[in-house]
Amino acid sequence: MPLPCAAGFTSRAAMIEEIKQAKARALRAIQQAATADDLEKVRIQYLGRKGIFKDLLAGIPQLPADQKPAVGKEANLARKAVEENLNARKNQLGAAKPKAVKETFDITIPGTRPQYGRLHPITRAAYELIDIFARLGFEVVYGPEMELERNNFDALNIPQEHPARDDFDTFFIQDDILLRSHTSPVQIRTMQQRKPPLRIVAPGKVFRRDTPDASHYPVFHQIEALAVDENITLADLKATLDTAMKAFFGPDTQTRMRPSFFPFTEPSAEVDISCTFCGGKGCKTCGGKGWTELLGAGMVDPNVFKAVGYDPEKYTGFAFGLGIDRAAMYRFGITDIRLLFDNDLRLLGQL
Ligand code: DAH
């Protein structure tokens, strides 16, 4: 704004009016200043060496002597008011720092995408299996990971000196309590609490003193199944497994049983499914066999019924124990069980 030449003022009144207006403009500019930089510009404009007030004061000496004091006083008051307002506004802006941040905030920059969590493949496999067996009429029950030796071994027809204990002998906590080596003791716990008929599945962690390699880990997961009633036969077992495996691995999945031995079942079987990698043709993963071993199964041994007080002449039953980790590996195409326990997000993020 061009300044009126101070020397051109003709009267005291006109000059005082000019000072008042300059002061009013200065105070408005101070209030409108949004940053310390803006404020500094206002200060220079009004109070600087070549500022507006300098110009105004420069006109005073040219006034008639009797007018000088009044105009001088007005000019000093105005100048003081502007200085005080500048200081006050400066403090205000200092306290309200975020305003400066706001200026540099660019709302067009894309935000940081949060990572989505998802269920671990073992959990997913467990949930799906539970869901499948629930639809087949099985109830879900749980047993403790610390188990009595009696439930883990003796009641399952594995007496003290039986060689089958070697595979399972594991982490003992005290003489008669151990970390369970399989989920089969949940069969015992359930039968001791209930009368037949019953159909249960029991998922959970199990522990063995295995050295980790591509197919072993000292902690892994099983889902145990038990059905007890009058007239349960091996055909019920076979049909249940076949239906469940097709539901889990896909409708083309075949199931086969090979004779085997478990102390708690008679007869016993190892159950294979057709290899999910090659569809049964034979590949590297199944060692060219076209089949992969997935679980142990059989008809409940009469000695187990006796241990829980069921009449083996009246009731029959089937049982099986399936490795959840192994099922997850076949299902999701993972060839090393250790990957399931590394918690490496590069793997988990893909599944
Ligand atoms: N408990 C066995 C194991 O951990 C698996 C098993 C085999 C469970 C046969 C059963 C069964 O219920 O009938 O190796």
Side-chain angles (χ1 to χ4, degrees):
M1 184 190 7
L3 289 171
C5 171
F9 286 118
T10 51
S11 73
R12 182 179 83 164
M15 206 158 160
I16 288 180
E17 181 57 28
E18 189 61 26
I19 290 170
K20 282 185 174 160
Q21 281 184 18
K23 173 182 148 190
R25 282 199 306 273
L27 297 189
R28 223 177 304 130
I30 289 167
Q31 277 321 305
Q32 284 166 1
T35 66
D37 280 355
D38 287 353
L39 204 59
E40 179 60 9
K41 277 185 203 140
V42 176
R43 191 191 65 77
I44 292 168
Q45 191 187 357
Y46 285 89
L47 303 182
R49 270 194 301 122
K50 296 176 185 164
I52 291 168
F53 277 90
K54 200 82 180 181
D55 269 352
L56 288 172
L57 292 173
I60 294 177
Q62 280 120 57
L63 289 170
D66 63 334
Q67 296 186 9
K68 282 183 197 173
V71 176
K73 188 178 169 205
E74 192 65 36
N76 277 332
L77 284 175
R79 194 193 161 93
K80 216 169 154 209
V82 172
E83 271 172 1
E84 278 169 12
N85 274 268
L86 273 170
N87 284 338
R89 182 73 182 145
K90 201 171 176 179
N91 289 339
Q92 244 179 20
L93 289 178
K97 279 248 166 56
K99 280 214 166 141
V101 174
K102 199 172 158 201
E103 263 188 46
T104 59
F105 183 72
D106 180 353
I107 58 161
T108 64
I109 295 172
T112 317
R113 229 173 242 282
Q115 279 204 350
Y116 290 111
R118 64 187 82 187
L119 293 177
H120 190 279
I122 295 175
T123 311
R124 270 174 69 189
Y127 282 1
E128 270 191 46
L129 287 165
I130 287 170
D131 194 54
I132 290 165
F133 288 116
R135 277 185 272 142
L136 290 171
F138 288 78
E139 181 192 341
V140 186
V141 298
Y142 296 92
E145 289 167 7
M146 273 198 275
E147 187 51 279
L148 295 172
E149 183 185 18
R150 175 187 181 272
N151 293 342
N152 198 81
F153 293 125
D154 303 79
L156 285 165
N157 202 29
I158 316 175
Q160 190 84 72
E161 303 304 329
H162 197 288
R165 278 209 184 193
D166 291 351
D167 298 337
F168 289 146
D169 245 357
T170 174
F171 306 107
F172 274 84
I173 286 157
Q174 57 190 57
D175 271 358
D176 55 347
I177 298 181
L178 73 161
L179 294 182
R180 66 181 178 190
S181 55
H182 51 176
T183 43
S184 302
V186 188
Q187 292 187 31
I188 303 299
R189 287 179 172 270
T190 311
M191 288 191 281
Q192 276 174 341
Q193 284 163 13
R194 306 190 194 178
K195 295 264 158 290
L198 53 87
R199 249 184 290 179
I200 53 120
V201 284
K205 276 193 178 62
V206 301
F207 308 83
R208 299 213 187 144
R209 42 154 208 213
D210 285 335
T211 306
D213 62 25
S215 52
H216 294 88
Y217 211 80
V219 183
F220 58 103
H221 303 78
Q222 290 186 328
I223 186 163
E224 188 82 14
L226 172 71
V228 183
D229 202 347
E230 294 175 33
N231 302 319
I232 297 256
T233 70
L234 196 71
D236 297 315
L237 170 60
K238 170 82 178 158
T240 302
L241 285 173
D242 203 53
T243 309
M245 295 304 103
K246 281 186 164 61
F248 187 77
F249 291 108
D252 297 330
T253 311
Q254 302 291 312
T255 316
R256 78 172 183 189
M257 286 175 160
R258 285 178 290 110
S260 184
F261 172 78
F262 296 101
F264 32 91
T265 43
E266 182 62 37
S268 302
E270 295 280 358
V271 182
D272 301 338
I273 56 159
S274 51
C275 176
T276 52
F277 290 91
C278 63
K281 288 190 209 70
C283 66
K284 228 172 84 185
T285 309
C286 60
K289 292 195 289 273
W291 296 92
T292 38
E293 186 188 316
L294 198 63
L295 60 128
M299 301 305 290
V300 179
D301 193 290
N303 283 342
V304 174
F305 282 150
K306 279 185 205 149
V308 297
Y310 281 11
D311 179 359
E313 297 302 324
K314 188 169 177 201
Y315 296 112
T316 52
F318 69 72
F320 57 86
L322 183 159
I324 297 175
D325 320 68
R326 204 179 263 195
M329 286 167 71
Y330 289 131
R331 171 70 182 274
F332 301 120
I334 301 165
T335 48
D336 191 322
I337 192 172
R338 289 168 293 193
L339 290 170
L340 289 175
F341 296 97
D342 284 349
N343 272 343
D344 188 335
L345 293 181
R346 286 172 303 175
L347 172 93
L348 299 178
Q350 292 176 45
L351 300 172

